[in-house]
Amino acid sequence: MSRARVLLLNAALGPLDYRVPHGMTVEPGSIVVAPLGPRQLLGVVWEPERMPSEGEVGDNRLRPLLAAAPVPPLGDSLRRLVEWTADYYLAPPAAVLRMCLSSTSALEGARSVTEYRATGEMPPRLTPQREQALERIADRQGLIRELATIAEVSDAVIRGLVKTGAIEAVEVDIDSPYPRPDPDHGAPTLSDDQRAVADVLVANVDARAFQPTLLDGVTGSGKTEVYFEAVAEAIRQGRQTIVLLPEIALTEPFLKRFHDRFGCEPVAWHSGLRSTQRRRAWRAIASGEALVTVGARSALYLPYRNLGLIVVDEAHETSFKQEEGVHYHARDVAVMRGLFERCPVILASATPAIETRQQVELGRYAELKLPGRYGVAEMPTIEAIDLLSQPPERGRWLAPKLVAAMKDRMEKREQSLLYLNRRGYAPLTLCRNCGHRFQCPNCTAWMVEHRLVRRLACHHCGHVMPTPRACPECQAEESLVACGPGVERIADEVTALFPEAKVAVVTSDTIWSPAKAAEFVGRMEAGDIDIVVGTQLVTKGYHFPNLTLVGVVDADLGLEGGDLRAAERTFQQIRQVSGRAGRGAKPGHVYIQTHAPAAQVMQALVTGDSDAFYAAETEARRDAGAPPFGRYAAIIVSSEDQACAQETARLVGRSAPQVEGMMVYGPAPAPLAMLRGRHRFRLLVHARRALDVQDVIRDWLGKLDWSPKARVTVDVDPYSFL
């Protein structure tokens, strides 16, 4: 090959042709370094017929490639996945390819590196920055830049601690091999129902063919142990497995269960890894050495050499939808990767999404059910508390009936969980004197009070400010009022009600790493926590046999807003958090505080009649032509200049094509009209299922010319309508 077409990691460029120098050998999938002006960029060699170039030139005008990375080429199936993702989600192929090459250091040869860790010694001079750094670093290890980022201090602070001996250098071999999982290490005793389902999944792995399967089992039915049998079979065959989890906090409990079953931990892949850990994992995956990888949605785009099984755990979770960059949904991309790799895909869930249920109805997915809990454990009883007839005491948020149940569990030395999907202390702070409300300067959103750290924070852009003593508008002191409850406020109420109780607040603010998750799990298992107050972070994946009471503080919260999936999402979250109760020999009970106990979703939760709920929701979607019976695509126009954003949105709206079976709504200001300093307008495309809406949008937007100050983003199959 003397000429190569290269897709560079620059989303603004199309594929470019280069000359292959004498002595260099490349093939489709080879990772190369190519010149672009004075710069050097990474790229991947592609088949010319699959990646047309708009500006082909003669051989005599081609610049030579500079180098080829000493790693295996990206496989044919992964390149097809890149093409499909770019086409379906209307994303630049280079932006998708970047996810495949997410560790640039992995493309270099084998080497060691110097990392740093705390020694446990205190420096002679302990400044606030040094104290903060040592507290946040704890037992972590990494490069100086990584430790500085973790500690939120400058590199100079870390270097100063190195000089004092509080932090020491460690030489790390970053390509040491991973231990091999033993498929026969801790084989479980399965029930008859579990064994029957496991046998089908193992047979699918043996068949080495594409087969998407919905594993529908109630919470506590042992879905993980069942699909572990399929993982074990893939290991026996020397083939690789991906297990996708929706939250980084779930990784640590999963790693422990995996270790108990297979004798070692799998390869982890998530945003919390150090760069050296990412390099080691990427290289092991590309070589085929890493047999099982567990990680977040981005693990889907790693270059597996011999993929034999894909598992999507908690497949209903909306966090599998990427909301920044390439707007892909990992559940759907997992199915497509299984198709290209010709391997089975398992979608495990206790509350499958309507989209997945419809695929089963159409016969495209197989379905396996685990209808009961494993062993002596039984499903908890669920009861609604009508907040209109049984309101909490004045100034409180927990109804007397729920408080009495918590007191009973305290006396029995059992654990309780209170669920409220709202971080912080209060969602709004205002001045009772002049009515001033604290709003984020960068977003159309209220600043949330976090009383534990004494800050007001925006949960959209991350802007923080100290909680002021006086109102910035009228200067009145002691006039600021917290409105509404967050988990911190509920925790304060619990502490006031039960001063002797050990209370833990579990949110992404307190469980920000797998290590923190492991610490929480350890305390729960040791009985060091009596009452947990948490967000959706605690609704899935955790198994605490002594947790027997769950209280849903505000069941109506998820029903607010115009989200078409609001009822389904509320049902899923409450059903999932209810499943944390009674997972051992002790019976569980769930109280749902609501202002609308007669609402269909609340009735379905109390009676356990999920089939009737899903049937009604599915029929409502069918009548509205909403997914999965129709198609949505959002077009978001944003700019730092409001007039520019509005004019561009009007241009897009005026140019909307008239296509049978497709309607375009908008433009209109987005509900979150400003985000991270950018003004936003939205259009919503609603089309019949059979219409190739991507082609229509591609042609529509491709003909327009808008200001470089404006950004136009397309979100196919949107989950967020903000």
Side-chain angles (χ1 to χ4, degrees), residues 100 189 226 233 241 272 289 301 335 425 550 586:
C100 305
T189 302
V226 167
E233 183 60 25
T241 297
E289 173 208 329
Y301 288 94
V335 173
Y425 183 85
V550 168
K586 301 173 183 177

Side-chain angles (χ1 to χ4, degrees), residues 423-538:
R423 292 157 52 201
Y425 183 85
L428 171 65
T429 300
L430 57 78
C431 173
R432 68 161 65 91
N433 188 50
C434 70
H436 173 77
R437 301 182 179 194
F438 287 85
Q439 182 172 322
C440 175
N442 308 314
C443 307
T444 313
W446 306 123
M447 297 288 282
V448 178
E449 181 181 359
H450 287 254
R451 193 159 287 188
L452 292 177
V453 292
R454 298 173 184 169
R455 288 180 180 175
L456 298 177
C458 173
H459 289 172
H460 298 283
C461 73
H463 177 77
V464 296
M465 58 181 287
T467 305
R469 291 182 54 84
C471 172
E473 192 76 22
C474 67
Q475 307 305 318
E477 294 192 7
E478 308 298 332
S479 66
L480 302 183
V481 181
C483 300
V487 287
E488 292 178 14
R489 192 168 199 168
I490 299 302
D492 279 1
E493 181 174 336
V494 169
T495 301
L497 290 167
F498 307 103
E500 72 283 7
K502 299 172 184 174
V503 182
V505 176
V506 179
T507 73
S508 57
D509 299 315
T510 59
I511 307 293
W512 65 78
S513 70
K516 283 290 183 182
E519 179 186 336
F520 163 64
V521 171
R523 290 184 62 200
M524 284 292 289
E525 291 177 343
D528 192 38
I529 298 174
D530 299 313
I531 301 171
V532 179
V533 184
T535 61
Q536 56 89 26
L537 207 62
V538 294

Side-chain angles (χ1 to χ4, degrees), residues 167-497:
I167 290 179
E168 64 180 356
V170 183
E171 195 73 14
V172 179
D173 179 5
I174 54 181
D175 285 333
S176 57
Y178 286 97
R180 186 183 179 93
D182 179 2
D184 302 311
H185 173 75
T189 302
L190 301 180
S191 68
D192 291 343
D193 285 346
Q194 288 177 323
R195 174 52 60 192
V197 171
D199 287 346
V200 175
L201 298 178
V202 168
N204 289 344
V205 173
D206 282 336
R208 300 194 174 208
F210 172 60
Q211 174 58 68
T213 302
L214 169 61
L215 177 55
D216 183 357
V218 299
T219 53
S221 60
K223 293 185 293 296
T224 304
E225 284 70 22
V226 167
Y227 72 64
F228 270 175
E229 295 304 290
V231 174
E233 183 60 25
I235 293 170
R236 291 187 186 98
Q237 297 178 12
R239 305 178 74 201
Q240 294 172 290
T241 297
I242 313 172
V243 180
L244 296 182
L245 301 177
E247 299 279 358
I248 184 176
L250 294 179
T251 304
E252 197 67 24
F254 182 90
L255 296 182
K256 183 177 183 300
R257 295 177 74 175
F258 188 94
H259 187 281
D260 292 343
R261 173 62 179 87
F262 295 104
C264 68
E265 291 190 352
V267 176
W269 185 269
H270 52 73
S271 59
L273 296 180
R274 310 192 305 269
S275 63
T276 50
Q277 292 174 315
R278 294 174 76 84
R279 170 198 159 91
R280 181 186 177 205
W282 195 97
R283 290 178 69 88
I285 288 166
S287 68
E289 173 208 329
L291 289 182
V292 182
T293 302
V294 56
R297 53 183 176 248
S298 59
L300 263 179
Y301 288 94
L302 295 174
Y304 301 93
R305 190 176 183 84
N306 184 20
L307 197 55
L309 175 65
I310 301 173
V311 179
V312 185
D313 207 347
E314 308 290 356
H316 63 279
E317 270 296 316
T318 56
S319 55
F320 279 125
K321 173 71 174 183
Q322 170 75 21
E323 298 292 355
E324 300 287 341
V326 181
H327 292 252
Y328 69 95
H329 197 302
R331 178 196 64 212
D332 300 336
V333 175
V335 173
M336 292 307 299
R337 178 134 205 196
L339 174 65
F340 292 130
E341 298 278 359
R342 295 185 291 279
C343 74
V345 181
I346 299 171
L347 307 177
S349 176
T351 52
I354 289 176
E355 288 84 351
T356 304
R357 290 171 176 269
Q358 182 63 15
Q359 294 296 322
V360 171
E361 187 72 21
L362 295 173
R364 294 172 182 163
Y365 295 179
E367 182 180 28
L368 297 171
K369 289 198 171 188
L370 292 171
R373 284 188 159 178
Y374 180 75
V376 298
E378 296 182 356
M379 295 298 291
T381 55
I382 302 179
E383 182 179 342
I385 297 178
D386 185 351
L387 292 177
L388 296 178
S389 61
Q390 304 177 62
E393 295 179 12
R394 184 176 179 83
R396 297 195 182 275
W397 308 95
L398 303 179
K401 195 169 190 176
L402 176 55
V403 173
M406 293 169 64
K407 182 179 180 182
D408 176 65
R409 296 315 188 277
M410 286 285 295
E411 293 170 352
K412 293 179 179 177
R413 304 185 69 82
E414 296 173 1
Q415 294 167 317
S416 302
L417 165 63
L418 297 178
Y419 166 69
L420 176 64
N421 202 23
R422 186 183 274 155
R423 292 157 52 201
Y425 183 85
L428 171 65
T429 300
L430 57 78
C431 173
R432 68 161 65 91
N433 188 50
C434 70
H436 173 77
R437 301 182 179 194
F438 287 85
Q439 182 172 322
C440 175
N442 308 314
C443 307
T444 313
W446 306 123
M447 297 288 282
V448 178
E449 181 181 359
H450 287 254
R451 193 159 287 188
L452 292 177
V453 292
R454 298 173 184 169
R455 288 180 180 175
L456 298 177
C458 173
H459 289 172
H460 298 283
C461 73
H463 177 77
V464 296
M465 58 181 287
T467 305
R469 291 182 54 84
C471 172
E473 192 76 22
C474 67
Q475 307 305 318
E477 294 192 7
E478 308 298 332
S479 66
L480 302 183
V481 181
C483 300
V487 287
E488 292 178 14
R489 192 168 199 168
I490 299 302
D492 279 1
E493 181 174 336
V494 169
T495 301
L497 290 167

